[in-house]
């Protein structure tokens, strides 16, 4: 077999580094995110998050799977206090699961991690629906946050996308 001809030409690799990213406000006080990849059409979002001690995110239902790799600190889900995620932990979350992310108040440092999310988070506070977060919502919030702070548009990877006909 001969080597295939590339069907997608690239002049450079699509690569971003969290050290070059701008941390923007996350979904809860004490949290910040750096966008890495946002794909509205396929519902995929990749973020690097930082969560200060005492941070608690809204309870959320996952419509798709999540991969979360913890790089610093520790955190757990309120529903699973015995399953503490520490630096080096990889967590797979199946679609249809419900969790409440929490960094203990007495944590010695912020928890940080890299997440790959498929679909949306349906968020609840005190069992009441408060909103949906998906790639499009996150992208809009990131762009608005950067604009309000007078920051340039963050650098992240975004598929060109766009629905169109293949022929007239």
């Amino acid at each position: 077999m001969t080597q295939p001809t590339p069907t997608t030409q690239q002049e450079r690799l699509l690569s971003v580094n969290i050290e070059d990213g701008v941390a923007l406000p996350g979904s809860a006080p004490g949290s910040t995110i750096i966008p890495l990849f946002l794909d509205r059409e396929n519902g995929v979002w990749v973020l690097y998050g930082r969560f200060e001690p005492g941070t608690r995110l809204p309870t959320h239902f996952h419509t798709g799977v999540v991969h979360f790799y913890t790089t610093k600190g520790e955190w757990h889900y309120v529903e699973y206090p015995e399953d503490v995620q520490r630096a080096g932990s990889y967590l797979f979350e199946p679609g249809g699961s419900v969790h409440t992310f929490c960094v203990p108040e007495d944590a010695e440092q912020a928890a940080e991690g890299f997440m790959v999310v498929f679909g949306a988070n349906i968020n609840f506070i005190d069992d009441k629906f408060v909103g949906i977060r998906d790639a499009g919502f996150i992208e809009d919030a990131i762009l608005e946050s950067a604009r309000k702070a007078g920051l340039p548009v963050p650098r992240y990877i975004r598929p060109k996308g766009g629905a169109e006909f293949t022929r007239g």
Side-chain angles (χ1 to χ4, degrees), residues 26-146:
S27 62
S31 67
T32 57
I33 58 170
I34 297 172
L36 302 172
F37 177 89
L38 298 171
D39 183 348
R40 290 173 176 264
E41 289 185 18
N42 291 299
V44 179
W45 31 298
V46 181
L47 307 171
Y48 189 83
R50 178 180 170 92
F51 309 92
E52 296 296 331
T55 299
R56 184 174 174 152
L57 300 181
T59 301
H60 53 277
F61 170 86
H62 290 284
T63 65
V65 302
V66 176
H67 303 270
F68 194 109
Y69 181 76
T70 303
T71 59
K72 292 182 183 174
E74 65 179 52
W75 62 276
H76 66 275
Y77 285 127
V78 171
E79 298 81 4
Y80 304 95
E82 67 284 357
D83 293 326
V84 177
Q85 303 298 297
R86 294 180 177 83
S89 295
Y90 162 75
L91 174 67
F92 173 77
E93 302 173 21
S97 58
V98 176
H99 317 290
T100 309
F101 180 99
C102 174
V103 179
E105 292 274 349
D106 61 353
E108 294 181 13
Q109 65 178 332
E112 295 185 26
F114 169 83
M115 64 194 84
V116 179
V117 183
F118 294 80
N121 285 1
I122 313 300
N123 294 314
F124 298 86
I125 295 177
D126 297 327
D127 290 328
K128 292 185 175 45
F129 171 78
V130 293
I132 299 172
R133 292 188 185 274
D134 63 6
F137 178 91
I138 290 168
E139 184 171 38
D140 290 345
I142 285 168
L143 296 174
E144 179 64 14
S145 179

